[in-house]
Each structure stands twice: as structure tokens, then as C-alpha cells.
mmCIF file of all heavy atoms in Angstrom:
data_model
loop_
_atom_site.group_PDB
_atom_site.id
_atom_site.type_symbol
_atom_site.label_atom_id
_atom_site.label_comp_id
_atom_site.label_asym_id
_atom_site.label_seq_id
_atom_site.Cartn_x
_atom_site.Cartn_y
_atom_site.Cartn_z
ATOM 1 N N LYS A 1 6.117 6.830 -4.135
ATOM 2 C CA LYS A 1 5.948 7.556 -5.397
ATOM 3 C C LYS A 1 4.589 7.240 -6.030
ATOM 4 O O LYS A 1 3.937 8.140 -6.581
ATOM 5 C CB LYS A 1 7.074 7.182 -6.358
ATOM 6 C CG LYS A 1 8.435 7.730 -5.956
ATOM 7 C CD LYS A 1 9.498 7.331 -6.975
ATOM 8 C CE LYS A 1 10.854 7.919 -6.620
ATOM 9 N NZ LYS A 1 11.904 7.531 -7.578
ATOM 10 N N SER A 2 4.194 5.979 -5.973
ATOM 11 C CA SER A 2 2.918 5.612 -6.591
ATOM 12 C C SER A 2 1.736 6.182 -5.806
ATOM 13 O O SER A 2 0.688 6.489 -6.390
ATOM 14 C CB SER A 2 2.799 4.095 -6.700
ATOM 15 O OG SER A 2 2.779 3.488 -5.420
ATOM 16 N N THR A 3 1.880 6.334 -4.479
ATOM 17 C CA THR A 3 0.813 6.956 -3.678
ATOM 18 C C THR A 3 0.628 8.410 -4.081
ATOM 19 O O THR A 3 -0.507 8.892 -4.257
ATOM 20 C CB THR A 3 1.147 6.862 -2.180
ATOM 21 O OG1 THR A 3 1.239 5.488 -1.808
ATOM 22 C CG2 THR A 3 0.074 7.532 -1.336
ATOM 23 N N VAL A 4 1.737 9.129 -4.238
ATOM 24 C CA VAL A 4 1.674 10.529 -4.695
ATOM 25 C C VAL A 4 1.040 10.595 -6.081
ATOM 26 O O VAL A 4 0.169 11.439 -6.348
ATOM 27 C CB VAL A 4 3.090 11.148 -4.708
ATOM 28 C CG1 VAL A 4 3.071 12.512 -5.389
ATOM 29 C CG2 VAL A 4 3.635 11.272 -3.286
ATOM 30 N N ALA A 5 1.456 9.693 -6.977
ATOM 31 C CA ALA A 5 0.923 9.707 -8.341
ATOM 32 C C ALA A 5 -0.572 9.413 -8.353
ATOM 33 O O ALA A 5 -1.335 10.047 -9.103
ATOM 34 C CB ALA A 5 1.672 8.686 -9.193
ATOM 35 N N LEU A 6 -1.012 8.457 -7.527
ATOM 36 C CA LEU A 6 -2.437 8.112 -7.488
ATOM 37 C C LEU A 6 -3.266 9.276 -6.956
ATOM 38 O O LEU A 6 -4.345 9.580 -7.493
ATOM 39 C CB LEU A 6 -2.647 6.870 -6.620
ATOM 40 C CG LEU A 6 -4.100 6.371 -6.493
ATOM 41 C CD1 LEU A 6 -4.650 5.976 -7.857
ATOM 42 C CD2 LEU A 6 -4.176 5.198 -5.510
ATOM 43 N N ALA A 7 -2.787 9.959 -5.923
ATOM 44 C CA ALA A 7 -3.511 11.102 -5.365
ATOM 45 C C ALA A 7 -3.607 12.233 -6.382
ATOM 46 O O ALA A 7 -4.640 12.906 -6.494
ATOM 47 C CB ALA A 7 -2.823 11.579 -4.094
ATOM 48 N N ARG A 8 -2.551 12.458 -7.117
ATOM 49 C CA ARG A 8 -2.573 13.502 -8.143
ATOM 50 C C ARG A 8 -3.547 13.134 -9.257
ATOM 51 O O ARG A 8 -4.288 13.986 -9.760
ATOM 52 C CB ARG A 8 -1.164 13.695 -8.704
ATOM 53 C CG ARG A 8 -0.253 14.504 -7.791
ATOM 54 C CD ARG A 8 1.157 14.579 -8.336
ATOM 55 N NE ARG A 8 1.981 15.490 -7.540
ATOM 56 C CZ ARG A 8 3.295 15.493 -7.527
ATOM 57 N NH1 ARG A 8 3.960 14.595 -8.266
ATOM 58 N NH2 ARG A 8 3.963 16.364 -6.788
ATOM 59 N N THR A 9 -3.544 11.870 -9.645
ATOM 60 C CA THR A 9 -4.431 11.432 -10.725
ATOM 61 C C THR A 9 -5.900 11.502 -10.308
ATOM 62 O O THR A 9 -6.759 11.956 -11.071
ATOM 63 C CB THR A 9 -4.075 9.992 -11.144
ATOM 64 O OG1 THR A 9 -2.706 9.944 -11.566
ATOM 65 C CG2 THR A 9 -4.961 9.523 -12.281
ATOM 66 N N ARG A 10 -6.187 11.051 -9.089
ATOM 67 C CA ARG A 10 -7.578 10.986 -8.625
ATOM 68 C C ARG A 10 -8.159 12.355 -8.296
ATOM 69 O O ARG A 10 -9.307 12.649 -8.617
ATOM 70 C CB ARG A 10 -7.679 10.088 -7.393
ATOM 71 C CG ARG A 10 -7.415 8.613 -7.643
ATOM 72 C CD ARG A 10 -8.636 7.876 -8.181
ATOM 73 N NE ARG A 10 -9.674 7.766 -7.177
ATOM 74 C CZ ARG A 10 -10.905 8.283 -7.284
ATOM 75 N NH1 ARG A 10 -11.249 8.951 -8.369
ATOM 76 N NH2 ARG A 10 -11.797 8.122 -6.324
ATOM 77 N N PHE A 11 -7.341 13.215 -7.660
ATOM 78 C CA PHE A 11 -7.900 14.474 -7.142
ATOM 79 C C PHE A 11 -7.107 15.718 -7.554
ATOM 80 O O PHE A 11 -7.421 16.823 -7.100
ATOM 81 C CB PHE A 11 -7.980 14.424 -5.599
ATOM 82 C CG PHE A 11 -8.845 13.307 -5.090
ATOM 83 C CD1 PHE A 11 -8.295 12.147 -4.570
ATOM 84 C CD2 PHE A 11 -10.237 13.412 -5.149
ATOM 85 C CE1 PHE A 11 -9.092 11.113 -4.100
ATOM 86 C CE2 PHE A 11 -11.045 12.382 -4.680
ATOM 87 C CZ PHE A 11 -10.469 11.227 -4.156
ATOM 88 N N GLY A 12 -6.111 15.555 -8.391
ATOM 89 C CA GLY A 12 -5.354 16.712 -8.860
ATOM 90 C C GLY A 12 -4.573 17.410 -7.765
ATOM 91 O O GLY A 12 -4.352 18.638 -7.848
ATOM 92 N N LEU A 13 -4.149 16.701 -6.741
ATOM 93 C CA LEU A 13 -3.427 17.317 -5.629
ATOM 94 C C LEU A 13 -2.037 17.750 -6.064
ATOM 95 O O LEU A 13 -1.373 17.085 -6.857
ATOM 96 C CB LEU A 13 -3.313 16.338 -4.462
ATOM 97 C CG LEU A 13 -4.631 15.841 -3.846
ATOM 98 C CD1 LEU A 13 -4.343 14.870 -2.712
ATOM 99 C CD2 LEU A 13 -5.471 17.016 -3.349
ATOM 100 N N THR A 14 -1.609 18.911 -5.543
ATOM 101 C CA THR A 14 -0.266 19.415 -5.797
ATOM 102 C C THR A 14 0.364 19.826 -4.481
ATOM 103 O O THR A 14 -0.331 20.113 -3.498
ATOM 104 C CB THR A 14 -0.289 20.624 -6.745
ATOM 105 O OG1 THR A 14 -1.101 21.655 -6.178
ATOM 106 C CG2 THR A 14 -0.839 20.249 -8.108
ATOM 107 N N GLU A 15 1.686 19.904 -4.456
ATOM 108 C CA GLU A 15 2.381 20.222 -3.215
ATOM 109 C C GLU A 15 2.103 21.653 -2.782
ATOM 110 O O GLU A 15 1.731 21.915 -1.647
ATOM 111 C CB GLU A 15 3.882 19.993 -3.395
ATOM 112 C CG GLU A 15 4.674 20.168 -2.122
ATOM 113 C CD GLU A 15 6.120 19.750 -2.317
ATOM 114 O OE1 GLU A 15 6.452 19.234 -3.392
ATOM 115 O OE2 GLU A 15 6.912 19.958 -1.392
ATOM 116 N N GLY A 16 2.255 22.610 -3.707
ATOM 117 C CA GLY A 16 1.911 24.014 -3.441
ATOM 118 C C GLY A 16 2.670 24.597 -2.258
ATOM 119 O O GLY A 16 3.662 24.052 -1.778
ATOM 120 N N ASP A 17 2.201 25.743 -1.794
ATOM 121 C CA ASP A 17 2.783 26.399 -0.628
ATOM 122 C C ASP A 17 1.916 26.094 0.573
ATOM 123 O O ASP A 17 0.796 26.577 0.707
ATOM 124 C CB ASP A 17 2.854 27.923 -0.845
ATOM 125 C CG ASP A 17 3.807 28.287 -1.973
ATOM 126 O OD1 ASP A 17 4.815 27.572 -2.124
ATOM 127 O OD2 ASP A 17 3.532 29.258 -2.702
ATOM 128 N N GLY A 18 2.394 25.294 1.445
ATOM 129 C CA GLY A 18 1.635 24.920 2.633
ATOM 130 C C GLY A 18 2.444 25.152 3.879
ATOM 131 O O GLY A 18 3.487 25.828 3.865
ATOM 132 N N PRO A 19 1.994 24.617 4.981
ATOM 133 C CA PRO A 19 2.724 24.772 6.237
ATOM 134 C C PRO A 19 4.065 24.053 6.189
ATOM 135 O O PRO A 19 4.307 23.194 5.342
ATOM 136 C CB PRO A 19 1.778 24.115 7.249
ATOM 137 C CG PRO A 19 0.979 23.137 6.448
ATOM 138 C CD PRO A 19 0.796 23.773 5.115
ATOM 139 N N ALA A 20 4.946 24.436 7.100
ATOM 140 C CA ALA A 20 6.246 23.779 7.194
ATOM 141 C C ALA A 20 6.037 22.303 7.507
ATOM 142 O O ALA A 20 5.200 21.941 8.333
ATOM 143 C CB ALA A 20 7.090 24.449 8.269
ATOM 144 N N MET A 21 6.815 21.479 6.840
ATOM 145 C CA MET A 21 6.648 20.030 6.995
ATOM 146 C C MET A 21 7.952 19.394 7.455
ATOM 147 O O MET A 21 9.026 19.716 6.927
ATOM 148 C CB MET A 21 6.193 19.406 5.665
ATOM 149 C CG MET A 21 4.799 19.825 5.224
ATOM 150 S SD MET A 21 4.239 18.977 3.710
ATOM 151 C CE MET A 21 5.220 19.818 2.478
ATOM 152 N N THR A 22 7.840 18.501 8.386
ATOM 153 C CA THR A 22 8.979 17.716 8.849
ATOM 154 C C THR A 22 8.675 16.248 8.577
ATOM 155 O O THR A 22 7.726 15.688 9.132
ATOM 156 C CB THR A 22 9.222 17.914 10.353
ATOM 157 O OG1 THR A 22 9.427 19.309 10.610
ATOM 158 C CG2 THR A 22 10.439 17.122 10.809
ATOM 159 N N PHE A 23 9.474 15.658 7.718
ATOM 160 C CA PHE A 23 9.189 14.281 7.286
ATOM 161 C C PHE A 23 9.891 13.281 8.189
ATOM 162 O O PHE A 23 11.027 13.484 8.628
ATOM 163 C CB PHE A 23 9.634 14.076 5.838
ATOM 164 C CG PHE A 23 8.830 14.856 4.849
ATOM 165 C CD1 PHE A 23 9.309 16.060 4.339
ATOM 166 C CD2 PHE A 23 7.588 14.405 4.436
ATOM 167 C CE1 PHE A 23 8.560 16.787 3.426
ATOM 168 C CE2 PHE A 23 6.840 15.131 3.528
ATOM 169 C CZ PHE A 23 7.329 16.328 3.029
ATOM 170 N N LEU A 24 9.198 12.192 8.446
ATOM 171 C CA LEU A 24 9.745 11.089 9.226
ATOM 172 C C LEU A 24 9.950 9.901 8.294
ATOM 173 O O LEU A 24 8.974 9.343 7.773
ATOM 174 C CB LEU A 24 8.788 10.687 10.362
ATOM 175 C CG LEU A 24 8.794 11.559 11.614
ATOM 176 C CD1 LEU A 24 8.075 12.888 11.331
ATOM 177 C CD2 LEU A 24 8.118 10.832 12.764
ATOM 178 N N PRO A 25 11.200 9.526 8.027
ATOM 179 C CA PRO A 25 11.436 8.397 7.118
ATOM 180 C C PRO A 25 10.971 7.095 7.740
ATOM 181 O O PRO A 25 10.825 6.980 8.962
ATOM 182 C CB PRO A 25 12.957 8.412 6.928
ATOM 183 C CG PRO A 25 13.487 9.078 8.150
ATOM 184 C CD PRO A 25 12.455 10.107 8.544
ATOM 185 N N PHE A 26 10.763 6.110 6.868
ATOM 186 C CA PHE A 26 10.327 4.803 7.355
ATOM 187 C C PHE A 26 11.396 4.189 8.240
ATOM 188 O O PHE A 26 12.599 4.282 7.959
ATOM 189 C CB PHE A 26 10.038 3.862 6.180
ATOM 190 C CG PHE A 26 9.681 2.467 6.600
ATOM 191 C CD1 PHE A 26 8.388 2.156 7.001
ATOM 192 C CD2 PHE A 26 10.649 1.463 6.615
ATOM 193 C CE1 PHE A 26 8.061 0.863 7.402
ATOM 194 C CE2 PHE A 26 10.329 0.179 7.009
ATOM 195 C CZ PHE A 26 9.026 -0.117 7.405
#
């Protein structure tokens, strides 16, 4: 969560509409 928050704060990144994503849990 903090990695997502830092990226948004630093560069204004948003999830948006992108390619299909398949997540691999830790």
C-alpha cells in the first residue's frame, strides 16, 4: 500500500484503463 501511495505522490500515477493484469501474490 505504501509503495502505491509513494508512486502516486511522486508521479501522480493512477490505475486507469490498461492491459489485462494477472497478479502473483507473495
Side-chain angles (χ1 to χ4, degrees):
K1 290 181 178 179
S2 64
T3 299
V4 171
L6 181 61
R8 282 176 173 161
T9 302
R10 292 278 291 119
F11 300 103
L13 299 179
T14 58
E15 186 172 354
D17 295 326
M21 293 184 286
T22 303
F23 292 99
L24 281 74
F26 176 82

